[in-house]
Amino acid sequence: MENIASPLSSLRCLNDSMKREEKKSGNGAFRALPPANKKTEVWSPDPPLPITQTPSAQFARSGWVLRTTILFQAPHMIRDRKFHLRTFRRCLVGTEMVDWIIQQSGSFFHIHSRSQASGMWQALLEEGVIFHVTQEHQFKDKYNFYRFRDDQEGIGTAPSTKDRHQAESELQETFSLLLQQAPDAILRMTLRKPPSDRTAEDLELIYDELLHIKALSHLSNSVKRELASVLYFESHAMAGTVLFHQGDEGKSWYIILKGCVNVVIYGKGEVCTLQEGDDFGKLALVNDAPRAATIVTREDNCHFLRVDKDDFNRILRDVEANTVRLKEHGQDVLLLQKIASDGRVAEGAHSHYKYTVIAGTPQKMLEHLLETRVDSRLEETGEPSSQDNFLEDFLLTHIMFMPNHQLCSELKKHYNIDVTNSRQETEFIIASKRRVAHFVQTWATTIREQFYEDPVISRFIQDLQIAIVHDSKHYKSLEEEVKTMTNMVDTKQKLQEEYDNNSSQRWKVSAFGHIVRMIPGGSEEEDKPTTRRPIKDWDEIIFRVHCADHTYTTLKTVVGATSETIKGFAADKLGLKDDLVLVEVKSSGERIVFKDFEVSVPTGLSINGRIFLSPTDHLDALTPLPEQEGPSEGTGNTLETLNSNELAYQMAMYDWELFSSVHEYELIYQVFERHQFRKTMSNLDVFLRRFNEVQFWVVTEMCLTTSLSRRVQLLRKFIKVACHCREYQDLNAFFAIVMGLSNIAVSRLSQTWERLPGKIKKVFSEFETLIDPSRNHRRYRQFVSKLESPIIPFMPLLLKDMTFTHEGNKTYLEGLVNFEKMHMIAQTLRTLRNCRSRPLVIEAPPSGKSAHEVRKYIRNFCLIDNQRRLTQLSNNLEPRRP
Ligand code: CMP
């Protein structure tokens, strides 16, 4: 960063030029200097001024050769001239200068046109070898006065005869240099004209040139034609000149015509160098964001083409390249893609689009987020300031590619921008600090209690609060951020106190495998209508571990205990020592061995599954407990007395409780290798288990109802309950009931179905259409898209979507996080968030039985989950027809 020239010097230049008085034209007319273009970020010299600091040795020599030759061949050309009462000393006239060059055209060089000769003089003017006498015009083949540098500075002497011979011997070389430079000089001369002064011929000339520029190669010729009338030429004579600073408002887009620039980022220094033909500066324009980097010229005499913001938006915004790659130290760090305002990848012309991240390193994505998606002003709501989902997607998915400790440490770096680099302006420092505070605030609102519960984040927000309080003494405008951070620390403390007071929240795996909350005193809480609290890693859970002989021990561990810990406790209590395995034995007899690192063991069992501990070589001897078979009698008698609407209502209330307890992260833990995060997903386990419970409850009750007429009544009842579930938007229960009724053990009961009234059959076939999985559950998706929250969604489908996204897309692409995958994952998580964006408030139906009894009934299903047994029962009810 040391070689960055102060931007103030360039600003000073701009102001000086704006302040310059109107001067009387050398040709007699009064003419206002063209106002400096207020839109430009840096000053570009006035068209009549040289573009180099001093002439190069080669050009200085050419000037000497021409002046010496003219003074011998046509000395009258350089003389004092009067114009409108002013005398201009030792000057030449533009038209005569052109005439003279044309006269020289002969055997060793040939001039085709007057404009070519003008170009040769313009090349000398650009280098500061000749000047317009009042520095108002570029070179013109007109009655304009010009002067050689030596005469301008008053050091021009009369040449000697020896000088004459020397000059004549160098004349050929001088003309070939100028002939070579003329075309570029003519082009620059044209590009330095105000667009309104450009003639059709000028535009054609610029257009021809644009056809050869790499940075424009993706644009159509008609766009290039439009550009010809708006492009400016900008040059910087000195290496180390800042074109703009990181954090500045974006005002122009640049293409490098000559030279190269460094891209510099605070806290990182130079991250890359851009060369001739490269472009820069469109991110800020397209995304309406501050500049992502500072751009500094790396060598003297850098030339650029510049398109200012309004023209860029009008001509280029919609036809810009679809992807942009940003590099640092030769490596890709960010891949951006044009996205139309409706979120689709832009294909044709769209009136609004932004660049969105499709891949990147975690650090660069965070940097880009802070700069483009987090407002440096305080948003009252703490909601993301931009309309797109980049920030929310990042917050919902970062745990897959940037764990909390890494994110906190990067945020610290961004916050401490003034410590790592002391040269920025106060405004930039404050904006950077605010962005970190607002990012953290949005993080907390998005992630909620999992944010406050994480010890790494807790420490980080405490440190951040201390830092902001400290900084606010120095930077007064950080007061709002102090409040925000203090509120967050308070929230964290309150939550902690709440947890400390209820530190021993306990759960129990009941005799039927339900996960129930214990209230102090030891009873099960599920019968009482209280607000359910999500299951936490550190909560205690009581469950049984069985041995091969069906004896058991009761264990109490934390929910987050690994299988290995549980195995150790159980082995101690049961006095077993051998090489042991912890196993789930399902009611079907299937055995599934837990890996040592697995978590959420007691909550993740199948409905009638039980945990067993066994020596590895006795695994085959494990058999299910008799209780795993499930009931031999149904609850038909009770069910008959319960009102369908009330059943559905209580089911919706229960499902809502369970659904509300599931954190978005639990879906990620579940799909992305269930155990790699070592975090419990017990709330999701319980909710998914509920789906299976309802499904098997329906099948069990149907298969345990021996009387045909009662079975028909029950079938009608289930269809009615499903109907109410759909009304209450409890689609999880709706699917479970309809899938239960479609289970082969029920669907094959043709005598039962035959007796169902036609009207009800029709309703059911409508339900079947709704759960039809074809075309990726199209019917259901269409149906649900028309609903408004609160909705209890069909959870297995959300998980299936996430699994497909995960399995079908790599998490990393060539070392960069595949953020398109993260967008997709976040989209599913957003569906979940939208479903519960409003609380479930439904009016309780008039109660036939006591609400308490219905509530108790639907929370304590006792059922058969062994498909073979269910099919057998079904066969017994209605034997297969021969
Ligand atoms: P913009 O943000 O408008 O201004 C700074 C420009 O630097 C930015 O657009 C990009 O065009 C360019 N740039 C090139 N490489 C990088 C990089 N690694 N990070 C940020 N900006 C970069």
Side-chain angles (χ1 to χ4, degrees):
M1 296 280 290
E2 285 310 310
N3 64 343
I4 297 184
S6 157
L8 292 179
S9 58
S10 40
L11 283 177
R12 234 175 275 127
C13 245
L14 176 64
N15 291 338
D16 290 350
S17 125
M18 287 167 75
K19 280 188 231 142
R20 223 181 294 160
E21 290 169 26
E22 283 190 338
K23 286 196 218 157
K24 196 171 180 198
S25 149
N27 308 39
F30 269 97
R31 181 180 169 279
L33 279 178
N37 185 347
K38 286 197 188 120
K39 286 189 288 177
T40 56
E41 287 162 312
V42 285
W43 176 239
S44 171
D46 271 345
L49 297 183
I51 57 175
T52 55
Q53 280 271 315
T54 47
S56 67
Q58 216 182 4
F59 269 90
R61 187 68 186 172
S62 302
W64 179 83
V65 169
L66 295 180
R67 180 175 177 274
T68 306
T69 313
I70 291 173
L71 281 174
F72 273 100
Q73 279 186 9
H76 59 278
M77 278 175 66
I78 304 180
R79 63 169 198 271
D80 296 350
R81 294 169 200 262
K82 282 207 165 144
F83 193 84
H84 283 248
L85 304 176
R86 272 183 80 180
T87 303
F88 296 94
R89 296 189 50 75
R90 299 195 63 71
C91 59
L92 304 94
V93 171
T95 42
E96 291 176 13
M97 294 161 86
V98 171
D99 291 342
W100 182 79
I101 289 213
I102 289 174
Q103 280 163 23
Q104 307 300 310
S105 171
S107 51
F108 56 86
F109 76 95
H110 189 72
I111 307 283
H112 313 284
S113 62
R114 293 188 72 83
S115 94
Q116 197 180 12
S118 297
M120 290 162 79
W121 285 115
Q122 173 65 17
L124 289 160
L125 187 136
E126 280 187 339
E127 283 271 330
V129 174
I130 62 164
F131 293 89
H132 178 250
V133 283
T134 51
Q135 299 195 355
E136 285 168 66
H137 294 290
Q138 305 197 63
F139 186 81
K140 283 187 182 160
D141 183 7
K142 286 193 174 164
Y143 189 68
N144 277 4
F145 301 163
Y146 297 91
R147 199 183 277 133
F148 278 102
R149 184 184 184 90
D150 284 358
D151 294 319
Q152 174 101 347
E153 291 179 354
I155 54 169
T157 51
S160 64
T161 313
K162 191 175 154 216
D163 288 339
R164 173 190 181 167
H165 292 313
Q166 185 59 38
E168 279 173 355
S169 71
E170 291 178 33
L171 198 56
Q172 181 179 353
E173 201 186 320
T174 298
F175 279 129
S176 53
L177 168 74
L178 296 180
L179 266 174
Q180 199 192 335
Q181 297 296 325
D184 283 351
I186 293 172
L187 176 71
R188 286 191 290 268
M189 183 162 68
T190 317
L191 284 165
R192 292 171 80 183
K193 285 186 190 176
S196 53
D197 291 0
R198 292 179 194 169
T199 62
E201 206 181 319
D202 290 341
L203 296 179
E204 201 58 32
L205 176 75
I206 301 172
Y207 168 73
D208 281 345
E209 194 57 32
L210 300 186
L211 296 176
H212 309 295
I213 292 178
K214 181 177 101 184
L216 304 177
S217 57
H218 63 286
L219 299 173
S220 70
N221 290 353
S222 62
V223 169
K224 284 179 194 154
R225 271 195 195 283
E226 280 198 77
L227 279 180
S229 59
V230 300
L231 276 164
Y232 289 90
F233 174 80
E234 181 170 322
S235 65
H236 295 281
M238 299 284 289
T241 306
V242 174
L243 269 75
F244 53 75
H245 277 273
Q246 183 178 351
D248 285 353
E249 184 191 342
K251 293 186 175 170
S252 312
W253 173 56
Y254 296 82
I255 300 163
I256 307 177
L257 278 184
K258 175 170 168 285
C260 49
V261 297
N262 283 331
V263 179
V264 183
I265 294 181
Y266 293 125
K268 289 184 179 172
E270 282 173 23
V271 294
C272 67
T273 300
L274 303 175
Q275 315 281 353
E276 190 172 311
D278 290 339
D279 69 301
F280 57 87
K282 69 179 157 218
L283 289 188
L285 303 191
V286 173
N287 287 341
D288 280 325
R291 293 294 193 192
T294 299
I295 301 286
V296 194
T297 55
R298 193 182 167 89
E299 44 188 66
D300 288 349
N301 299 325
C302 289
H303 296 176
F304 305 91
L305 284 179
R306 195 188 74 219
V307 181
D308 291 341
K309 188 175 179 176
D310 292 346
D311 298 321
F312 181 92
N313 285 341
R314 186 169 52 81
I315 304 171
L316 288 173
R317 199 180 162 112
D318 293 340
V319 291
E320 252 314 317
N322 260 348
T323 51
V324 171
R325 245 168 224 278
L326 296 186
K327 288 181 186 284
E328 288 183 4
H329 311 295
Q331 304 284 327
D332 284 343
V333 287
L334 202 64
L335 214 62
L336 301 159
Q337 188 173 53
K338 212 165 80 172
I339 295 276
S341 53
D342 56 9
R344 288 180 297 117
V345 173
E347 276 158 8
H350 284 275
S351 52
H352 292 293
Y353 73 84
K354 279 195 170 197
Y355 278 115
T356 190
V357 170
I358 55 169
T361 61
Q363 292 80 358
K364 188 70 185 178
M365 289 195 292
L366 176 65
E367 180 185 297
H368 186 66
L369 246 184
L370 287 169
E371 275 166 3
T372 61
R373 305 300 202 274
V374 183
D375 210 317
S376 62
R377 282 162 297 133
L378 192 82
E379 298 264 309
E380 275 179 11
T381 54
E383 289 296 320
S385 60
S386 87
Q387 293 304 308
D388 74 0
N389 295 320
F390 182 30
L391 178 56
E392 192 180 56
D393 291 359
F394 185 94
L395 291 171
L396 287 173
T397 60
H398 74 88
I399 54 165
M400 285 178 261
F401 55 84
M402 195 182 206
N404 287 340
H405 68 88
Q406 211 179 325
L407 178 53
C408 291
S409 120
E410 283 298 317
L411 286 170
K412 256 186 204 167
K413 278 191 216 157
H414 283 280
Y415 182 82
N416 290 329
I417 190 105
D418 47 345
V419 178
T420 47
N421 197 313
S422 56
R423 294 186 55 166
Q424 302 95 48
E425 286 153 24
T426 312
E427 219 176 288
F428 183 82
I429 295 173
I430 295 176
S432 304
K433 289 182 184 293
R434 281 182 164 166
R435 286 200 174 99
V436 173
H438 300 164
F439 178 93
V440 174
Q441 189 186 14
T442 314
W443 188 7
T445 6
T446 310
I447 303 306
R448 309 178 312 281
E449 69 280 2
Q450 291 238 0
F451 172 91
Y452 290 107
E453 285 164 7
D454 186 292
V456 174
I457 302 179
S458 293
R459 237 171 295 129
F460 167 70
I461 54 172
Q462 266 160 11
D463 291 351
L464 192 61
Q465 187 230 11
I466 294 169
I468 292 189
V469 169
H470 175 266
D471 282 347
S472 66
K473 294 181 188 124
H474 186 51
Y475 307 114
K476 292 285 176 239
S477 45
L478 283 177
E479 276 153 13
E480 279 303 319
E481 284 68 27
V482 169
K483 270 193 228 156
T484 307
M485 288 312 300
T486 309
N487 282 344
M488 284 174 71
V489 170
D490 287 351
T491 310
K492 151 84 204 139
Q493 266 157 8
K494 272 192 211 128
L495 204 73
Q496 187 60 50
E497 279 161 23
E498 215 179 284
Y499 289 159
D500 289 346
N501 292 341
N502 302 310
S503 58
S504 56
Q505 169 156 273
R506 275 194 198 159
W507 303 88
K508 179 178 160 187
V509 182
S510 78
F512 302 123
H514 305 292
I515 313 295
V516 287
R517 186 175 168 198
M518 310 287 295
I519 53 165
S523 67
E524 295 170 8
E525 185 232 36
E526 293 301 308
D527 302 341
K528 298 196 179 64
T530 52
T531 326
R532 188 187 176 93
R533 212 193 76 180
I535 305 173
K536 303 284 176 192
D537 275 353
W538 59 87
D539 285 349
E540 284 178 340
I541 184 157
I542 298 167
F543 55 95
R544 289 177 182 178
V545 175
H546 302 267
C547 295
D549 62 0
H550 291 184
T551 56
Y552 67 88
T553 180
T554 303
L555 289 189
K556 186 173 76 185
T557 66
V558 288
V559 173
T562 61
S563 157
E564 190 178 22
T565 312
I566 296 174
K567 192 165 68 178
F569 285 166
D572 274 356
K573 281 192 92 176
L574 291 165
L576 294 174
K577 285 215 169 53
D578 298 343
D579 182 14
L580 300 168
V581 278
L582 200 68
V583 196
E584 173 184 353
V585 177
K586 295 192 176 185
S587 59
S588 60
E590 190 188 347
R591 303 170 198 101
I592 298 173
V593 177
F594 290 108
K595 298 190 189 78
D596 280 352
F597 54 79
E598 288 189 45
V599 289
S600 310
V601 169
T603 54
L605 298 176
S606 63
I607 296 180
N608 285 341
R610 296 290 182 268
I611 306 173
F612 280 69
L613 183 72
S614 152
T616 312
D617 45 8
H618 285 153
L619 199 59
D620 294 344
L622 298 180
T623 53
L625 311 170
E627 70 183 41
Q628 289 183 253
E629 281 231 318
S632 49
E633 275 179 28
T635 58
N637 289 343
T638 317
L639 254 179
E640 264 173 22
T641 63
L642 302 179
N643 171 290
S644 318
N645 192 2
E646 212 184 337
L647 275 168
Y649 169 80
Q650 289 293 353
M651 283 169 78
M653 298 314 272
Y654 187 37
D655 284 350
W656 183 253
E657 267 179 40
L658 300 182
F659 175 51
S660 308
S661 299
V662 178
H663 193 275
E664 291 88 333
Y665 279 174
E666 293 187 61
L667 277 83
I668 296 181
Y669 302 151
Q670 169 84 9
V671 170
F672 281 69
E673 187 45 59
R674 192 173 151 98
H675 305 283
Q676 78 167 0
F677 294 93
R678 299 283 163 96
K679 292 268 192 188
T680 134
M681 50 235 126
S682 297
N683 297 293
L684 179 60
D685 284 343
V686 173
F687 187 46
L688 289 174
R689 176 192 167 85
R690 175 68 185 169
F691 179 83
N692 292 330
E693 272 175 14
V694 174
Q695 205 186 161
F696 281 106
W697 163 62
V698 169
V699 189
T700 304
E701 294 301 337
M702 287 297 292
C703 292
L704 291 178
T705 306
T706 44
S707 142
L708 178 59
S709 59
R710 294 184 85 179
R711 221 166 37 245
V712 176
Q713 288 312 314
L714 193 59
L715 182 55
R716 283 180 76 142
K717 177 150 225 151
F718 281 134
I719 295 173
K720 273 172 110 181
V721 176
C723 208
H724 290 299
C725 288
R726 193 177 61 165
E727 270 164 37
Y728 291 133
Q729 306 196 153
D730 181 356
L731 303 172
N732 203 53
F734 169 79
F735 258 76
I737 296 172
V738 180
M739 282 173 79
L741 294 178
S742 309
N743 183 297
I744 182 67
V746 181
S747 64
R748 62 168 296 286
L749 300 172
S750 44
Q751 293 169 34
T752 315
W753 287 94
E754 274 161 18
R755 292 183 180 215
L756 205 61
K759 216 169 89 187
I760 300 199
K761 267 193 206 151
K762 206 166 150 236
V763 171
F764 187 71
S765 75
E766 237 179 71
F767 289 173
E768 281 184 312
T769 322
L770 200 53
I771 70 157
D772 179 5
S774 59
R775 299 177 68 195
N776 198 10
H777 284 278
R778 187 151 178 270
R779 295 302 288 268
Y780 166 73
R781 288 183 202 272
Q782 276 176 342
F783 171 77
V784 88
S785 69
K786 291 185 197 122
L787 303 182
E788 283 189 356
S789 82
I791 302 166
I792 304 169
F794 172 40
M795 196 64 160
L797 186 61
L798 288 180
L799 273 176
K800 183 181 144 209
D801 286 348
M802 273 188 61
T803 310
F804 263 54
T805 306
H806 176 47
E807 289 174 359
N809 299 278
K810 290 189 174 154
T811 302
Y812 291 91
L813 295 172
E814 293 165 20
L816 301 182
V817 176
N818 177 4
F819 206 75
E820 279 190 295
K821 172 171 178 171
M822 303 305 149
H823 278 309
M824 289 190 269
I825 297 276
Q827 197 53 41
T828 308
L829 298 180
R830 216 181 333 275
T831 309
L832 190 112
R833 290 165 80 77
N834 290 342
C835 283
R836 52 196 190 193
S837 58
R838 266 177 275 179
L840 180 75
V841 188
I842 42 180
E843 208 180 307
S847 176
K849 274 246 168 186
S850 86
H852 167 75
E853 243 176 274
V854 184
R855 191 171 185 275
K856 190 171 171 191
Y857 175 78
I858 62 100
R859 287 169 190 238
N860 291 290
F861 290 150
C862 172
L863 44 92
I864 304 166
D865 71 340
N866 181 348
Q867 183 66 44
R868 201 157 2 108
R869 183 160 171 238
L870 288 166
T871 316
Q872 251 169 24
L873 286 168
S874 166
N875 282 332
N876 296 346
L877 291 176
E878 294 186 23
R880 260 185 237 148
R881 285 181 183 154

